[in-house]
Amino acid sequence: MPSILSTSPSSSYWQVESPPSPIKPSALDKTTDILIVGGGYSGLSAALVCAKAGHAVTVVDADQIANGASVRNAGMFGAHPKLPYAVVAKTYGEKTAQSLLQEAQTAYQFTKNLINNNHINCQLQLCGRVQGASTIAHFKNQQRLAQELKQYTDIQVKVLQQADLREEINTQSYIGGLLFPEHGGLHPQQFHSGLVQLAIKHGVNLHPQTPVQAINQYGNGFTAITSKGDIQAKKVIITANGYLQGKFSWLAKRVFPLPSFIAVTAPRPPEFWQQLFPRQRMVVETRAKHCYYRLTPDGTRLLLGARASLRPINLTLAAKRLHTCIADIFPSLSDLSIDYCWTGNTGYTFSHLPNIGVTNGMHYAMGYSGSGVVMAPYLGMKVAHQALGDERGQTAFTKTQLQSRPFYFGGKKPAFLFLADWYYNKIVDTKENRAHKKDTQ
């Protein structure tokens, strides 16, 4: 078992390596034009749009402005469909399915431009991302996806045969794969800090540790009841995603918190990692355990996230499970210790797709389901334009569905995830491991 040197759930490697600047406390705004609930990527992106349009903007967050999924993710930069095209087309129709595919590339360009045009120093590295196929069936699905992307979108993708993979990632774990050459990685804390500074520059008022208990409509506006007092607002935008709190029952039934676990190894010289990552690619997997991994921006550590559990667990246990994943992919790293292990909530939807819309007169952008680094700033921009009545808010993500399920009423620890955790660990993983062993013999 590797040693665990940092297991605090209050901070990630990113936060330790690049601590956020404290936000100076100020008196709570009693009135505002636009109230935004949630200070992550989407909330800050929405705030920038509204502030640049000349509106008074207030952002409140139940925690620190920088302590949610926006600074607890792996920093992988890129968006591509999580669902097969046929599934999306059957549910939403061919036209919407094609639009959703294409918007992944539009979101990528928007967020890249947001970073570059505003000179946000977040170590953006467009080094490409490899998706490794664990079984022959998975590889066939990848080939089908590549054809669909080339037919309906401008997303660059290349099919990799098993022999090609060794030039990308030095492991025997995959049958084949896809290469997304435009994708890459960034430092999520630095990206978020850059958005915070932009928001402050444009006059956005930021209020951390200000949970909202309820929001009530009055006439043409709203009254938000917070822990620090009431706020009257003309418009409300909710972007809390996996950290939704308060009496937002309609959203809470449809966007649930899915815990994510990430570990970072002890450092090694860059030349050590060069043997395993010849081209410094980001890597994700097709198997349901969904390992995703990369080198840290300085090239000295391996960061890996995976389905260590679908429910909250002790970080020591999570680190042990993540280390097992590392050793499975790279046997030569079986003795490498873990220096950091942390957790955070992904806002997940039952459709596996994000959605923006209106509930009780309040606009929302929610449910990024693991694609928030690119999609959250983009949909934050879209929902802001919608709130302002601007046609630039048009997006196919208004046509996705925020579905609910019987007997789920929201909450921080959804009971159905305990059953799902058992099912994936005992049934799905066993089946995939058996197929992987057969296909690689």
Side-chain angles (χ1 to χ4, degrees), residues 52-279:
K52 289 179 180 179
H55 298 278
V57 183
T58 299
V59 176
V60 296
D61 198 293
D63 203 334
Q64 298 297 330
I65 293 294
N67 202 32
S70 292
V71 297
R72 293 179 175 276
N73 61 79
M76 290 191 175
F77 189 86
H80 60 274
K82 289 181 172 293
L83 296 175
Y85 174 80
V87 173
V88 181
K90 182 179 179 180
T91 305
Y92 302 109
E94 293 276 350
K95 184 178 180 180
T96 298
Q98 293 172 20
S99 297
L100 290 170
L101 284 177
Q102 182 57 48
E103 274 201 75
Q105 182 69 1
T106 305
Y108 166 87
Q109 292 294 343
F110 169 82
T111 305
K112 185 174 73 169
N113 290 340
L114 178 65
I115 293 169
N116 291 334
N117 293 344
N118 291 286
H119 308 289
I120 298 176
N121 182 14
C122 57
Q123 302 185 67
L124 177 62
Q125 302 167 327
L126 300 181
C127 52
R129 171 158 48 178
V130 170
Q131 184 188 64
S134 298
T135 69
I136 293 175
H138 291 176
F139 187 45
K140 290 180 178 178
N141 290 336
Q142 285 184 325
Q143 292 172 308
R144 189 178 304 113
L145 172 61
Q147 292 175 347
E148 293 165 351
L149 293 178
K150 290 177 181 179
Q151 181 178 356
Y152 299 122
T153 77
D154 299 325
I155 297 174
Q156 295 185 32
V157 60
K158 177 183 178 182
V159 176
L160 300 173
Q161 301 296 327
Q162 190 172 32
D164 301 325
L165 276 171
R166 294 300 295 273
E167 299 179 9
E168 309 292 343
I169 180 74
N170 192 358
T171 176
Q172 301 289 340
S173 296
Y174 310 119
I175 303 296
L178 295 178
L179 171 62
F180 296 89
E182 293 183 309
H183 288 195
L186 50 67
H187 192 302
Q189 175 64 69
Q190 292 176 355
F191 179 32
H192 187 273
S193 294
L195 292 176
V196 167
Q197 294 307 311
L198 275 176
I200 293 173
K201 176 183 176 181
H202 286 88
V204 176
N205 294 316
L206 304 176
H207 295 282
Q209 296 180 318
T210 309
V212 175
Q213 282 88 36
I215 298 179
N216 302 315
Q217 281 186 290
Y218 74 94
N220 295 323
F222 302 85
T223 298
I225 302 171
T226 82
S227 62
K228 296 181 180 179
D230 295 351
I231 305 173
Q232 290 189 342
K234 297 176 183 177
K235 301 279 187 178
V236 173
I237 299 174
I238 302 175
T239 59
N241 208 36
Y243 292 84
L244 188 67
Q245 296 186 19
K247 297 180 180 180
F248 304 104
S249 59
W250 191 89
L251 287 171
K253 293 176 183 178
R254 291 163 173 81
V255 180
F256 58 90
L258 186 69
S260 174
F261 298 90
I262 296 178
V264 174
T265 69
R268 290 291 184 272
E271 52 269 24
F272 172 87
W273 296 110
Q274 184 67 30
Q275 301 174 41
L276 299 177
F277 294 82
R279 296 181 178 176

